[in-house]
């Protein structure tokens, strides 16, 4: 389909008007295309040829949306670092419409009712990070929002220094956050709360639609998909960095990419967000923070459902999370299922990796090729003894598993490449000089992280020492 043939609808505008604010995008100066995502275009039934057109840049720049059109920003609240902020909302993301079940949003498209002191813009650096990482999540089969494309511009914005503004067109089956529910609950707007819950059920949980106890079921479903999402993050070594309740998707998606990181050397207490002084959102805290956030959602849903029932569901979180976690970790280890002793094997492996300062991704990829010769594995760590001791246990565990079957499973479960921060920084440094070739390269490995890509071998090793375990600023 051509861009001008797209039929954009706006189901969110059927909710009470307290749920959003109508606002049109403020286009950027001299926009230019940085990258277009053909796969996402296909999902939206947009012709591939359109992606090279001037019309596509205009579309991403929000120029087609004129005064009085149905574009809008969503209202929400949220707990940020444990403190309730009564009103946040889309301060720089403007929703431009829905195609099929996908909602399109321009992030960085200008000021809205919810911008507070912000300028409504997003810098090139953070936009590239969001664009590439959402695709990397697709490549890893981890639920995430998507991006259709990214544009840069000559538009200056002030952060620590003057930077250029960009826009990403984000695409998702839901932009509703835990914090969206919190807003209506805390404001005592229970009619709006109920309408929002029914909207979310309609969109993402149709199997519970119309049921008497649907709000309790909604909470239960969100709890389960959140547990699964966090288990996937943990298994792949992803640290989100800003798990505020406004950054938690009701649809169990990875959402709002900020100062996130893939682990370099394995560290339980890895902190990737410079602002997170106490490590609230450290790597190891992610499951418990998710549970804390689910409790906040539970309280927000309490006017619609009985807290006791939801409490009972929430009490299952640890067990459900652990079941998913062991499932994903056993897949990484090439084990056909979880048996007694496997959880200890996994825990002891992580302690060993931390002690030996082993690159998390490299270890699993190397282990995927393991057939008894330990040399390559031993080279990944500082000392040999603890790894040898662990490998003895691993050898005993895999003794009865067919090696070819195990290797195939592991090579499909352990990416050769993840987008580490130093790689993203390389793409950003080049992009800031007008060279988008590294963005193109990282996009390729993001899409197919399990493939060999011999041309990108230099990114397959451990993170260079000077770039390891760095924290990033939240400013974006
Ligand atoms: P984030 O850290 O991107 O999840 O944003 C947290 C909140 O701050 C959201 O309500 C954003 O819309 C808002 N926000 C972040 N940056 C800006 C900005 N430059 N202008 C306006 N609002 C912003
Ligand atoms: Mg956010």
């Amino acid at each position: 389909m051509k861009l001008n043939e797209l039929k954009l609808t706006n189901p969110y505008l059927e909710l009470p008007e307290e749920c959003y604010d109508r606002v049109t995008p403020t286009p950027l100066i001299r926009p230019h295309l940085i990258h277009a995502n053909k796969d996402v275009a296909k999902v939206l039934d947009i012709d591939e040829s359109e992606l090279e057109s001037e019309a596509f840049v205009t579309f991403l720049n929000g120029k087609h949306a004129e005064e009085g059109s149905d574009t809008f920003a969503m209202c929400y609240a949220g707990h940020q670092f444990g403190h309730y902020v009564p009103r946040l909302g889309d301060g720089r993301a403007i929703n431009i419409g829905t195609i099929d079940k996908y909602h399109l949003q321009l992030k960085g498209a200008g000021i809205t009712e919810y911008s507070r002191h912000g300028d409504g813009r997003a810098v090139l650096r953070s936009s590239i990070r969001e664009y590439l990482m959402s695709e990397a999540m697709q490549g890893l089969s981890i639920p995430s929002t998507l991006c259709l494309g990214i544009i840069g511009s000559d538009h200056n914005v002030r952060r620590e220094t003057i930077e250029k503004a960009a826009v990403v067109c984000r695409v998702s089956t839901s932009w509703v956050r835990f914090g969206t529910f919190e807003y209506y609950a805390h404001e005592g707007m229970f009619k709006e709360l109920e309408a929002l819950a029914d909207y979310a059920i309609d969109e993402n949980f149709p199997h519970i639609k119309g049921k008497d106890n649907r709000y309790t079921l909604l909470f239960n479903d969100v709890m389960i998909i959140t547990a699964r999402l966090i288990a996937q993050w943990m298994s792949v070594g992803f640290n989100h960095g800003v798990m505020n309740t406004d950054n938690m998707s009701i649809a169990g998606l990875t959402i709002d990419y900020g100062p996130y990181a893939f682990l370099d050397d394995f560290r339980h207490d890895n902190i990737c967000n410079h602002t997170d002084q106490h490590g609230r959102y450290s790597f190891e805290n992610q499951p418990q923070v998710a549970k804390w956030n689910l409790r906040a959602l539970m309280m927000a849903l309490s006017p619609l459902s009985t807290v006791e029932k939801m409490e009972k569901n929430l009490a299952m979180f640890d067990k459900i999370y652990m079941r998913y976690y062991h499932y994903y970790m056993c897949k990484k280890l090439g084990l056909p299922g979880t048996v007694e002793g496997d959880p200890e094997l996994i825990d002891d492996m992580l302690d060993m990796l931390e002690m030996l300062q082993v690159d998390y991704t490299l270890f699993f990829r190397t282990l995927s090729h393991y057939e008894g010769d330990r040399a390559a594995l031993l080279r990944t760590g500082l000392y040999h003894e603890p790894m040898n001791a662990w490998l003895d246990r691993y050898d005993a565990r895999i003794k009865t598993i067919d090696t070819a079957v195990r290797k195939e499973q592991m090579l499909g479960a352990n990416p050769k490449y993840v987008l580490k921060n130093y790689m993203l920084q390389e793409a950003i440094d080049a992009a800031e000089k007008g060279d988008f070739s590294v963005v193109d390269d990282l996009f390729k490995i993001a899409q197919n992280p399990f493939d060999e890509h011999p041309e990108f071998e230099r990114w397959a090793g451990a993170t260079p020492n000077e770039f390891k375990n760095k924290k990033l600023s939240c400013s974006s």
Side-chain angles (χ1 to χ4, degrees), residues 292-312:
W292 192 98
N293 289 341
L294 282 160
R295 177 169 294 282
L297 176 67
M298 179 188 84
M299 294 316 295
L301 288 173
S302 61
L304 307 179
S305 169
T306 341
V307 172
E308 291 72 40
K309 284 188 187 150
M310 291 191 285
E311 277 279 12
K312 255 193 182 155

Side-chain angles (χ1 to χ4, degrees), residues 76 80 88-90 92 107 170 177 240 242 244 246-248 255-257:
Y76 54 83
Q80 299 194 315
L88 290 160
D90 294 327
R92 52 178 171 169
K107 184 169 175 180
R170 307 200 291 185
R177 300 139 193 275
H240 182 283
V242 206
N244 294 331
D246 51 296
N247 291 338
M248 296 291 292
I255 185 175
D256 282 14
Y257 293 93

Side-chain angles (χ1 to χ4, degrees), residues 441-461:
D441 289 348
L442 291 189
F443 190 84
K444 285 180 200 146
I445 62 175
Q447 283 202 310
N448 296 297
F450 302 101
D451 290 357
E452 286 298 323
H453 303 287
E455 70 276 30
F456 300 130
E457 197 67 39
R458 70 188 179 92
W459 282 319

Side-chain angles (χ1 to χ4, degrees), residues 201-232:
I201 290 171
D202 260 16
E203 254 186 14
N204 302 105
F205 307 93
H207 52 284
I208 58 173
K209 191 176 171 172
K211 293 199 174 159
D212 286 346
N213 61 343
R214 61 190 178 279
Y215 305 122
T216 316
L217 294 173
L218 170 66
F219 180 71
N220 197 39
D221 277 6
V222 176
M223 191 267 292
I224 292 169
I225 57 178
T226 303
R228 188 183 61 195
L229 176 72
I230 307 300
Q232 286 182 287

